[in-house]
Amino acid sequence: MTNDNTAQLARRLKTEREGRGWSLAELADRSGVSKAMISKIERDEVSPTAALLGRLSGAFGLSLSQLLARAEHTAGQLARRDRQPLWQDPETGFTRRAATPAGGPATPLDLVWGELPAGQSVDYPAAAFAFIQDQQIMLLEGRLDFTQGTTLHALHPGDCLRLGPPEACRFHNPGDTPCRYLVVLLKR
C-alpha cells in the first residue's frame, strides 16, 4: 500500500470499527490507542505506524496481514511483484509487501515480505499475533534481531525462526544495511 493508498486503509479501519458497532472510545479502550489518534487515522490526516496498526488489528481480532489485505482489495491467482500492495511505516521506514495472491478460494496462509532499514526497530503487542496459528520468519538479507517476549533471536541470512505462543515482539535491524525477510503466517 503506497502512501497514495493510505485513504483505503483509513476507510477500512473506520469500516471495521463501525461494522462492530464500536464508538471511537470503545476501540480506544480495546486497543490502547487514543481516540484522537484513531480519529486522525480514520480521517486520513496521519499515516499509522506498524506498531499502531498491530494494536488496532489485535483489537479487531485480525492479524495485521488480514487488516491490510482487507484494505488492499487485490485479486487474482498471480501476485506480480510490481502490483503487490506495499505499505511503508512513516516512523521507521519499514516496508511491508503483501505477497500472497488474493484471488481464488480463501486461504489461511499469508506471505509477507518485509524490509527494515538499518538501525530501525518495530514493536508489536501480543494481540497482533493472537489470531495466528503459526508464524515463521526467514531472513533473506542483512541481520535481524527478533525478540519475542524476553527471548532474543539473532538471525542471519538463510535462518528461519518459528515463533512460539503470542507475545509482544520486536523486529530490530542491528546492521548498517537494510534487512529483508519473509514472514509466513498461518491464520486460525
Side-chain angles (χ1 to χ4, degrees):
M1 185 167 279
T2 63
N3 288 335
D4 295 337
N5 295 329
T6 57
Q8 286 178 287
L9 180 57
R11 284 190 301 273
R12 173 45 58 186
L13 288 167
K14 186 173 184 176
T15 298
E16 292 292 336
R17 179 179 60 78
E18 290 178 343
R20 289 164 174 77
W22 295 353
S23 65
L24 285 171
E26 187 165 356
L27 179 55
D29 287 344
R30 290 173 179 258
S31 66
V33 177
S34 74
K35 287 187 334 184
M37 179 57 74
I38 294 168
S39 179
K40 286 180 183 180
I41 293 167
E42 287 185 356
R43 291 190 317 264
D44 195 23
E45 293 176 0
V46 297
S47 183
T49 65
L52 201 143
L53 283 176
R55 292 165 64 186
L56 292 170
S57 66
F60 290 135
L62 300 169
S63 70
L64 180 58
S65 291
Q66 289 171 311
L67 177 64
L68 290 173
R70 288 179 178 193
E72 291 160 346
H73 303 295
T74 59
Q77 289 184 300
L78 174 63
R80 299 229 182 255
R81 185 182 194 282
D82 63 342
R83 298 191 49 106
Q84 294 169 357
L86 193 65
W87 177 79
Q88 186 169 42
D89 182 345
E91 185 175 290
T92 63
F94 161 68
T95 304
R96 175 207 179 272
R97 188 172 69 236
T100 302
T107 177
L109 182 70
D110 273 334
L111 298 175
V112 177
W113 177 91
E115 181 173 320
L116 188 59
Q120 294 296 316
S121 298
V122 176
D123 296 298
Y124 294 103
F129 303 100
F131 303 95
I132 298 172
Q133 179 176 331
D134 193 9
Q135 181 173 353
Q136 297 181 31
I137 303 167
M138 177 173 245
L139 186 62
L140 305 173
E141 296 177 36
R143 293 178 48 210
L144 178 64
D145 284 350
F146 181 81
T147 304
Q148 184 177 24
T150 59
T151 306
L152 171 66
H153 303 277
L155 302 178
H156 301 279
D159 290 350
C160 186
L161 172 67
R162 172 176 262 153
L163 277 61
E167 292 185 87
C169 71
R170 168 178 264 207
F171 289 77
H172 174 69
N173 179 352
D176 55 6
T177 60
C179 70
R180 294 174 181 92
Y181 53 90
L182 182 65
V183 178
V184 181
L185 305 163
L186 183 61
K187 300 173 281 196
R188 293 186 195 273

